[in-house]
Amino acid sequence: MKPMNANELLAGLALARPVPITAVVTDSRKVQPGCIFVCFPGERVDGHDYAAKAYQAGAEYVIANHPVEGVPEDHLVICESSYLAMIRMASNYRTLFSPLMIGVTGSVGKTTTKEFCYAVLSAFGNTLKTEGNQNNEIGLPNTLFRLEDTTQYAVVEMGMSHLGEIARLVRAARPSAGIITMIGVSHLENLGTRENILKAKMEICQGLPDGAPLVLNADDDLLPTAQIPGRLRPVWFGIRSSSADVRAINIHTVGEGTGFTLVDNVDGETYEFSVTIPTAGVHTVYDALAAYTAATRLGLERARAARALASYQTTGMRQNIVQHGGVTFIEDCYNASPDSMKAALQILHDRQPGPGGRRIAVLGDMLELGAASEPGHRQTGKWAADAADLLVAYGPLSAAMAEAARQKGLQTIHCQAAEEVVEYLRQNVRSGDVVLAKAIIAYFGGISHGNDRFLDAGCRGNRCVCRYGTFRLFCNSGTAQAALRPDHPGIRPDLA
């Protein structure tokens, strides 16, 4: 973080002294002299309990929701919401810089699209990106605090679970262009209808400058119905839509990746580029198209942008395809929704097992679907029956998935306990099999502890890591004991 005077960084929150602030931290272990420490209340840990210690360690200001013993009033900023305080400070800090920035949102594909944007922008200069899926009211400010004078380009991911959240994030980030990947069914439990999800995602428009490109999926059924502000410049990408400005044709598999011809129509001129991306599945072609479209509409050179798509690198547990003991593992243990389940199952369907091998789908519960939960799980079971030779379903909601798959004739195992999943795989997976794991992280977290050829579990840092082969199953928890409880309050699905 570039030093910024407290009176400027805290503008709108408090009248502060013009002393330099060198960091904004939410973890008391990262407190350093000259920082601002922000207290967040939690179910297990309350940051207010560490406020006095943070002040003693050199924090110049402490942001809290109420008075805190041990922190002098002239070093205490009381705010009703620590989240809003983070966003306000990030917005103030953002004014120091002017990189070309792409903002990404959507129900599915945000992080992959963000990584494609990073691959493209990095080909042109020093680029900042959201790390992992830090796309919420803490993660986005932390990303903005990493802006420096040397930052030429940036890409930030914005998630939400309620109306109004993206509006707050985008007003702080103020990107130069926006992307909406698609409108799915994630967070129906909170928002009620896909139309409300569309409304929430369209909040990205509120932080875009006049004339900014708004990059939209032409193949989505709802996005073409959106009311786009006349001050913005909509640009459409797609595969099926013949009217899209940027399209992919001749899509084919190239080893572990995908090749296609990118067709770009601009002001009556047509440009074509042969593209190969190191990702499997047509859904990742959409993500690559979105990144190319945003970058080129910001003025970046087309051919170089198209070539740069090949430098994409996967992050976390998204579509890692690894080999272990003759078994192919497709690791996709991130948030799950019917849309992403369908895409992952298509990848499984397209993979050819080895001699005597089978396609095995290991699928967990999909959360926050509201009234769409049971039909969404049943439809996923039907898709699994078309893509797999065996379904291993885990979690109470996945009972409907297992039943639907079984009704279509698919061999199905439904596990109530996470330990059952690993034990079944350990005993039944054989050389030649292709195994897909797709689920909310929390439901495949904290599976077991032990050691043998296939199972190796232990704690690393503050995350419990369980391995089935090279197949990592994560749980956001502080201890191994907590990880053994899927309902532990430290475990929750990330925002989508």
Side-chain angles (χ1 to χ4, degrees):
M1 178 178 175
K2 177 181 178 179
M4 185 177 188
N5 283 344
N7 60 316
E8 297 172 331
L9 187 60
L10 291 170
L13 296 174
L15 296 176
R17 298 179 299 280
V19 294
I21 300 298
T22 57
V24 176
V25 301
T26 60
D27 185 339
S28 62
R29 294 169 296 184
K30 297 181 180 179
V31 168
Q32 61 189 54
C35 77
I36 291 177
F37 175 65
V38 186
C39 304
F40 281 90
E43 295 181 31
R44 292 186 298 123
V45 177
D46 189 340
H48 293 83
D49 296 338
Y50 300 88
K53 179 181 176 182
Y55 173 70
Q56 294 167 6
E60 188 65 39
Y61 283 95
V62 171
I63 293 180
N65 305 148
H66 53 73
V68 180
E69 185 177 352
V71 180
E73 287 187 7
D74 59 343
H75 289 269
L76 182 66
V77 178
I78 297 180
C79 298
E80 182 178 350
S81 169
S82 300
Y83 295 97
L84 296 184
M86 285 285 287
I87 291 174
R88 174 56 67 93
M89 288 189 291
S91 178
N92 292 338
Y93 184 73
R94 170 72 172 85
T95 62
L96 300 179
F97 309 97
S98 55
L100 276 181
M101 180 185 291
I102 299 173
V104 182
T105 192
S107 297
V108 176
K110 291 186 300 299
T111 300
T112 302
T113 300
K114 178 257 299 181
E115 292 297 335
F116 271 117
C117 287
Y118 179 74
V120 172
L121 295 175
S122 295
F124 294 88
N126 185 28
T127 303
L128 172 72
K129 68 173 180 176
T130 300
E131 293 295 341
N133 63 308
Q134 299 297 307
N135 59 23
N136 60 15
E137 292 164 310
I138 299 177
L140 182 132
N142 282 335
T143 299
L144 296 180
F145 290 138
R146 292 167 44 224
L147 285 166
E148 298 286 352
D149 290 331
T150 57
T151 305
Q152 298 170 275
Y153 304 95
V155 54
V156 294
E157 180 179 335
M158 289 172 282
M160 65 88 202
S161 57
H162 295 88
L163 288 167
E165 291 178 356
I166 288 178
R168 291 192 288 271
L169 298 178
V170 74
R171 287 170 184 158
R174 297 188 290 280
S176 316
I179 295 174
I180 303 179
T181 60
M182 66 168 293
I183 306 301
V185 295
S186 300
H187 303 303
L188 271 179
E189 186 175 36
N190 297 330
L191 295 172
T193 66
R194 290 183 66 227
E195 286 73 19
N196 280 340
I197 295 173
L198 170 64
K199 182 179 179 181
K201 299 300 184 182
M202 287 295 293
E203 290 173 3
I204 194 173
C205 300
Q206 298 181 28
L208 297 176
D210 291 349
L214 177 63
V215 178
L216 303 165
N217 186 341
D219 292 345
D220 186 86
D221 63 326
L222 280 186
L223 279 172
T225 72
Q227 298 296 311
I228 301 171
R231 63 184 186 81
L232 301 181
R233 179 163 48 105
V235 191
W236 299 89
F237 67 93
I239 296 174
R240 299 189 306 272
S241 174
S242 59
S243 62
D245 300 291
V246 177
R247 299 178 59 217
I249 61 174
N250 304 324
I251 301 172
H252 56 283
T253 299
V254 180
E256 300 287 355
T258 305
F260 60 92
T261 300
L262 189 153
V263 182
D264 188 357
N265 297 294
V266 185
D267 299 328
E269 298 288 335
T270 300
Y271 304 87
E272 293 192 5
F273 305 100
S274 179
V275 174
T276 300
I277 55 177
T279 55
V282 171
H283 60 294
T284 64
V285 175
Y286 281 102
D287 302 334
L289 291 178
Y292 166 90
T293 304
T296 55
R297 270 47 182 190
L298 286 175
L300 301 185
E301 197 265 320
R302 296 183 187 88
R304 196 195 307 184
R307 289 194 302 271
L309 294 171
S311 62
Y312 167 91
Q313 294 183 0
T314 189
T315 62
M317 300 189 68
R318 292 171 180 82
Q319 297 178 20
N320 287 327
I321 299 178
V322 294
Q323 305 286 332
H324 181 81
V327 180
T328 299
F329 294 96
I330 305 172
E331 302 178 338
D332 204 4
C333 287
Y334 185 58
N335 279 8
S337 68
D339 300 299
S340 62
M341 285 283 200
K342 182 179 181 181
L345 286 165
Q346 185 62 49
I347 294 176
L348 177 65
H349 175 272
D350 293 342
R351 295 288 304 191
Q352 184 63 41
R358 302 154 297 170
R359 296 178 179 90
I360 301 174
V362 184
L363 308 180
D365 286 354
M366 297 177 284
L367 307 182
E368 298 187 4
L369 297 182
S373 181
E374 182 169 348
H377 282 87
R378 287 190 176 279
Q379 182 59 61
T380 300
K382 296 175 182 178
W383 289 327
D386 294 333
D389 302 304
L390 169 65
L391 169 65
V392 180
Y394 166 61
L397 301 178
S398 292
M401 180 197 303
E403 181 182 16
R406 194 176 293 115
Q407 289 174 349
K408 288 201 68 174
L410 179 64
Q411 180 185 354
T412 301
I413 304 297
H414 181 236
C415 299
Q416 295 289 351
E419 292 86 351
E420 295 177 47
V421 177
V422 166
E423 184 61 22
Y424 181 84
L425 295 175
R426 189 181 67 81
Q427 293 187 14
N428 290 278
V429 169
R430 59 179 182 251
S431 179
D433 286 344
V434 180
V435 181
L436 163 72
K438 176 67 180 175
I440 293 289
I441 293 175
Y443 276 85
F444 280 154
I447 296 226
S448 185
H449 285 258
N451 286 283
D452 61 24
R453 181 182 172 204
F454 286 105
L455 184 59
D456 177 16
C459 285
R460 300 176 185 175
N462 66 345
R463 307 188 80 188
C464 180
V465 182
C466 301
R467 283 184 177 268
Y468 175 76
T470 54
F471 194 68
R472 294 178 298 278
L473 306 175
F474 287 103
C475 168
N476 293 323
S477 61
T479 66
Q481 290 73 24
L484 291 173
R485 294 166 43 207
D487 61 344
H488 190 276
I491 305 171
R492 70 175 186 87
D494 291 306
L495 299 175

Coordinates of all heavy atoms in Angstrom, one line a residue, residues 50-89:
Y50 N -9.3 -7.8 20.1 CA -7.9 -7.6 19.8 C -7.5 -6.2 19.5 O -6.4 -5.9 19.1 CB -7.5 -8.5 18.5 CG -7.7 -10.0 18.7 CD1 -8.9 -10.5 18.5 CD2 -6.7 -10.8 19.3 CE1 -9.2 -11.9 18.7 CE2 -6.9 -12.1 19.5 CZ -8.2 -12.7 19.2 OH -8.4 -14.0 19.4
A51 N -8.5 -5.3 19.7 CA -8.3 -3.9 19.3 C -7.2 -3.2 20.2 O -6.3 -2.5 19.7 CB -9.6 -3.1 19.4
A52 N -7.3 -3.5 21.5 CA -6.3 -2.8 22.4 C -4.9 -3.3 22.1 O -3.9 -2.6 22.1 CB -6.7 -3.1 23.9
K53 N -4.8 -4.6 21.8 CA -3.5 -5.2 21.5 C -3.0 -4.6 20.2 O -1.8 -4.3 20.0 CB -3.6 -6.7 21.3 CG -2.3 -7.4 20.9 CD -2.6 -8.9 20.8 CE -1.3 -9.6 20.3 NZ -1.6 -11.1 20.1
A54 N -3.9 -4.4 19.2 CA -3.5 -3.8 17.9 C -3.0 -2.3 18.1 O -1.9 -1.9 17.6 CB -4.6 -3.8 16.9
Y55 N -3.6 -1.6 19.0 CA -3.2 -0.2 19.3 C -1.8 -0.2 19.9 O -0.9 0.6 19.6 CB -4.2 0.5 20.2 CG -3.7 1.8 20.7 CD1 -3.6 2.9 19.8 CD2 -3.4 2.0 22.0 CE1 -3.2 4.1 20.2 CE2 -2.9 3.2 22.5 CZ -2.8 4.3 21.6 OH -2.4 5.5 22.0
Q56 N -1.6 -1.1 20.9 CA -0.3 -1.2 21.6 C 0.8 -1.6 20.6 O 1.9 -1.2 20.8 CB -0.4 -2.2 22.7 CG -1.4 -1.8 23.8 CD -1.7 -3.0 24.8 OE1 -1.1 -4.1 24.7 NE2 -2.6 -2.7 25.7
A57 N 0.4 -2.4 19.6 CA 1.4 -2.8 18.6 C 1.7 -1.7 17.5 O 2.6 -1.9 16.7 CB 0.9 -4.1 17.9
G58 N 1.0 -0.6 17.6 CA 1.4 0.5 16.7 C 0.3 1.0 15.8 O 0.6 1.9 14.9
A59 N -0.9 0.4 15.8 CA -1.9 0.8 14.9 C -2.3 2.3 15.2 O -2.5 2.7 16.4 CB -3.2 0.0 15.1
E60 N -2.3 3.1 14.2 CA -2.5 4.5 14.4 C -4.0 4.8 14.7 O -4.3 5.6 15.5 CB -2.1 5.3 13.1 CG -2.2 6.8 13.2 CD -1.2 7.3 14.2 OE1 0.0 6.8 14.3 OE2 -1.5 8.2 15.0
Y61 N -4.9 4.0 14.0 CA -6.3 4.1 14.2 C -6.9 2.7 14.3 O -6.4 1.8 13.6 CB -7.0 4.9 13.1 CG -6.8 6.4 13.2 CD1 -5.8 7.0 12.5 CD2 -7.6 7.2 14.0 CE1 -5.6 8.4 12.6 CE2 -7.4 8.6 14.1 CZ -6.4 9.2 13.4 OH -6.2 10.5 13.5
V62 N -7.9 2.6 15.1 CA -8.7 1.4 15.2 C -10.1 1.7 14.8 O -10.7 2.7 15.3 CB -8.7 0.8 16.6 CG1 -9.7 -0.4 16.7 CG2 -7.3 0.3 17.0
I63 N -10.7 1.0 13.8 CA -12.1 1.1 13.4 C -12.9 0.0 14.1 O -12.6 -1.1 14.0 CB -12.2 1.0 11.9 CG1 -11.5 2.2 11.2 CG2 -13.7 1.0 11.5 CD1 -11.6 2.2 9.7
A64 N -13.9 0.5 14.9 CA -14.7 -0.5 15.7 C -16.2 -0.1 15.6 O -16.5 1.0 15.1 CB -14.2 -0.5 17.1
N65 N -17.0 -1.0 16.0 CA -18.4 -0.8 16.0 C -19.0 -0.2 17.3 O -20.1 0.2 17.4 CB -19.2 -2.1 15.7 CG -18.7 -2.8 14.4 OD1 -18.8 -4.0 14.3 ND2 -18.3 -2.0 13.4
H66 N -18.1 -0.1 18.3 CA -18.5 0.4 19.6 C -17.2 0.8 20.3 O -16.1 0.4 19.9 CB -19.3 -0.6 20.4 CG -18.6 -1.9 20.5 ND1 -17.5 -2.2 21.3 CD2 -18.9 -3.1 19.8 CE1 -17.2 -3.5 21.2 NE2 -18.0 -4.0 20.3
P67 N -17.3 1.6 21.4 CA -16.1 1.9 22.2 C -15.4 0.7 22.7 O -16.0 -0.4 23.0 CB -16.6 2.7 23.3 CG -17.9 3.3 22.8 CD -18.5 2.2 21.9
V68 N -14.0 0.7 22.7 CA -13.2 -0.4 23.1 C -12.2 0.0 24.2 O -11.5 1.0 24.0 CB -12.4 -1.0 21.9 CG1 -11.6 -2.2 22.3 CG2 -13.4 -1.4 20.7
E69 N -12.3 -0.7 25.2 CA -11.3 -0.4 26.3 C -9.9 -0.6 25.9 O -9.6 -1.6 25.2 CB -11.7 -1.4 27.5 CG -10.8 -1.0 28.8 CD -11.2 -1.9 29.9 OE1 -12.2 -2.7 29.8 OE2 -10.5 -1.9 31.0
G70 N -9.1 0.3 26.2 CA -7.7 0.2 25.9 C -7.3 1.0 24.6 O -6.1 1.0 24.3
V71 N -8.3 1.5 23.9 CA -8.0 2.3 22.7 C -8.5 3.8 23.0 O -9.7 4.0 23.2 CB -8.7 1.8 21.5 CG1 -8.4 2.6 20.3 CG2 -8.3 0.3 21.2
P72 N -7.6 4.7 23.0 CA -7.9 6.1 23.3 C -8.9 6.6 22.2 O -8.9 6.2 21.1 CB -6.6 6.9 23.2 CG -5.6 5.9 23.4 CD -6.1 4.6 22.8
E73 N -9.8 7.5 22.7 CA -10.8 8.0 21.8 C -10.3 8.7 20.5 O -10.9 8.6 19.4 CB -11.7 9.1 22.5 CG -12.7 8.4 23.5 CD -13.6 9.4 24.1 OE1 -13.6 10.6 23.6 OE2 -14.4 9.1 25.1
D74 N -9.1 9.4 20.7 CA -8.6 10.1 19.5 C -7.9 9.1 18.5 O -7.4 9.6 17.5 CB -7.6 11.2 19.9 CG -6.4 10.7 20.8 OD1 -6.5 9.5 21.3 OD2 -5.4 11.4 20.9
H75 N -7.8 7.9 18.9 CA -7.3 6.8 17.9 C -8.4 5.8 17.5 O -8.1 4.8 16.9 CB -6.1 6.1 18.6 CG -4.9 6.9 18.7 ND1 -3.9 7.0 17.7 CD2 -4.5 7.8 19.7 CE1 -3.0 7.8 18.1 NE2 -3.3 8.3 19.3
L76 N -9.6 6.1 17.9 CA -10.7 5.2 17.7 C -11.7 5.8 16.7 O -12.2 7.0 16.9 CB -11.4 4.8 19.0 CG -12.6 3.8 19.0 CD1 -12.1 2.5 18.6 CD2 -13.3 3.8 20.3
V77 N -12.1 5.1 15.7 CA -13.1 5.5 14.7 C -14.3 4.5 14.9 O -14.1 3.3 14.6 CB -12.6 5.5 13.3 CG1 -13.7 5.9 12.3 CG2 -11.4 6.5 13.1
I78 N -15.4 5.0 15.3 CA -16.6 4.1 15.5 C -17.5 4.2 14.3 O -17.9 5.3 13.9 CB -17.4 4.5 16.8 CG1 -16.5 4.3 18.0 CG2 -18.6 3.7 16.9 CD1 -17.1 4.7 19.3
C79 N -17.7 3.1 13.7 CA -18.6 2.9 12.5 C -19.6 1.8 12.7 O -19.3 0.8 13.3 CB -17.7 2.6 11.2 SG -16.5 3.8 10.8
E80 N -20.8 2.1 12.2 CA -21.8 1.1 12.4 C -21.5 -0.2 11.7 O -21.8 -1.3 12.1 CB -23.2 1.6 11.9 CG -24.3 0.7 12.1 CD -25.6 1.3 11.6 OE1 -25.7 2.5 11.3 OE2 -26.6 0.5 11.5
S81 N -20.8 -0.1 10.5 CA -20.5 -1.3 9.7 C -19.0 -1.3 9.4 O -18.5 -0.3 8.7 CB -21.3 -1.3 8.4 OG -20.8 -2.3 7.5
S82 N -18.3 -2.3 9.8 CA -16.9 -2.4 9.4 C -16.7 -2.6 7.9 O -15.7 -2.2 7.3 CB -16.2 -3.5 10.2 OG -16.3 -3.3 11.6
Y83 N -17.7 -3.3 7.3 CA -17.6 -3.6 5.9 C -17.7 -2.2 5.1 O -16.9 -2.0 4.1 CB -18.8 -4.5 5.5 CG -18.7 -5.9 6.0 CD1 -19.4 -6.2 7.2 CD2 -18.0 -6.8 5.5 CE1 -19.4 -7.4 7.8 CE2 -17.9 -8.1 6.0 CZ -18.6 -8.4 7.1 OH -18.5 -9.7 7.7
L84 N -18.7 -1.4 5.5 CA -18.8 -0.1 4.8 C -17.6 0.8 5.0 O -17.2 1.5 4.1 CB -20.1 0.6 5.2 CG -21.4 -0.1 4.9 CD1 -22.6 0.7 5.3 CD2 -21.5 -0.5 3.4
A85 N -17.0 0.7 6.2 CA -15.7 1.4 6.4 C -14.6 1.0 5.5 O -13.9 1.8 5.0 CB -15.3 1.3 7.9
M86 N -14.5 -0.3 5.3 CA -13.5 -0.8 4.4 C -13.7 -0.3 3.0 O -12.8 0.1 2.3 CB -13.5 -2.4 4.4 CG -12.9 -3.0 5.6 SD -11.1 -3.0 5.6 CE -10.7 -4.2 4.4
I87 N -15.0 -0.3 2.5 CA -15.3 0.1 1.2 C -15.0 1.6 1.0 O -14.4 2.1 0.0 CB -16.7 -0.2 0.8 CG1 -16.9 -1.7 0.7 CG2 -17.2 0.5 -0.5 CD1 -18.3 -2.1 0.5
R88 N -15.3 2.4 2.1 CA -15.1 3.9 2.0 C -13.6 4.1 1.9 O -13.1 5.0 1.1 CB -15.7 4.6 3.2 CG -15.4 6.1 3.3 CD -15.7 6.8 2.0 NE -17.2 6.9 1.8 CZ -17.9 7.8 2.2 NH1 -17.4 8.9 2.9 NH2 -19.2 7.8 2.0
M89 N -12.8 3.5 2.7 CA -11.3 3.7 2.7 C -10.8 3.3 1.4 O -9.9 3.9 0.8 CB -10.7 2.9 3.8 CG -10.9 3.6 5.2 SD -9.9 2.8 6.5 CE -10.6 1.1 6.6

